[in-house]
Amino acid sequence: MNDLSRQHHWEKVYTTRGESEVSWFQETPALSLELIALAGAMPNSAIIDIGGGASRLVDHLVSRGFQDLTVLDLSAAALASARSRIGAKADRVTWITADVTLWQPSRSYDICHDRAAFHFLTERNDQAAYIARLRRALRVGGHAIIATFAPDGPERCSGLMVSRYDADSLAAQLGAGFELIDTRRHEHTTPWGSVQKFQFSTFRRAADV
Ligand SMILES: C[S@@+](CC[C@H](N)C(=O)[O-])C[C@H]1O[C@@H](n2cnc3c(N)ncnc32)[C@H](O)[C@@H]1O
């Protein structure tokens, strides 16, 4: 899928379907919040949600007093929907409309979170572009929390093929410089009651070798 058709796909999803009409909707992203806390997040930690879409993760982080939050997504409609939901406090968040494979990070982050965005990158060059940007954006000692469909999870999401991972295959994909420190299997129940198997993995950014 090229960059334009990818963007078109996601804009269409977010302009034609309500928040709870997408399989990935979560009222409270409890496991993400738990893993962000375990990563040692402090109120002034720089946290970015990559492929955050219209997720409520940012609402919960704002209400818990985090002050340096960024949400990046390909879809401007998804970010607009999250912004309007949050209201005035949305001004405290940095919103970046970008394709992560083309993104040029202008600063570094303590925590990079991604739930169900990386797994849409099924081509080697896109995966490498993402990892290069993660490497640049995450400070040494910082944490990357990446959730993908597990090997026994769905083959597709939103009509698109995904790459599924367990913790070891994701660690191998990320390569040197990312130390696996926590791994969880997770069952997500969609708004219509089906169960999707996810894998959440946390990596600590080690110094470049
Ligand atoms: C399944 S949704 C998950 C959204 C959110 N992380 C959540 O948990 O609710 C995948 C998200 O990844 C975004 N996405 C897909 N490919 C992307 C890319 N190349 N760059 C940035 N965002 C992307 C989509 O727009 C969409 O919001």
Side-chain angles (χ1 to χ4, degrees), residues 3-21:
D3 304 333
L4 272 181
S5 56
R6 192 186 278 157
Q7 185 178 25
H8 179 75
H9 173 87
W10 289 107
E11 287 295 14
K12 188 162 168 217
V13 167
Y14 285 109
T15 50
T16 57
R17 290 160 79 184
E19 190 190 16
S20 59
E21 292 173 338

Side-chain angles (χ1 to χ4, degrees), residues 6 10 14 24 51-53 55 72-74 98-100 115-117 120:
R6 192 186 278 157
W10 289 107
Y14 285 109
W24 54 92
S55 165
L72 177 148
D73 201 274
L74 196 51
D99 185 322
V100 63
R115 172 176 176 264
F120 285 104

Side-chain angles (χ1 to χ4, degrees), residues 67-97:
Q67 297 149 12
D68 188 353
L69 300 172
T70 301
V71 184
L72 177 148
D73 201 274
L74 196 51
S75 166
L79 298 181
S81 138
R83 287 182 86 134
S84 72
R85 191 182 61 229
I86 295 171
K89 288 183 180 168
D91 292 342
R92 300 185 197 164
V93 177
T94 301
W95 305 90
I96 302 176
T97 306

Side-chain angles (χ1 to χ4, degrees), residues 96-111:
I96 302 176
T97 306
D99 185 322
V100 63
T101 65
L102 303 172
W103 175 46
Q104 299 299 334
S106 56
R107 57 169 299 190
S108 63
Y109 298 89
D110 300 304
I111 296 176

Side-chain angles (χ1 to χ4, degrees), residues 186-199:
H186 173 71
E187 293 194 346
H188 167 63
T189 304
T190 68
W192 41 93
S194 56
V195 171
Q196 297 179 327
K197 297 196 170 141
F198 270 79
Q199 172 74 43

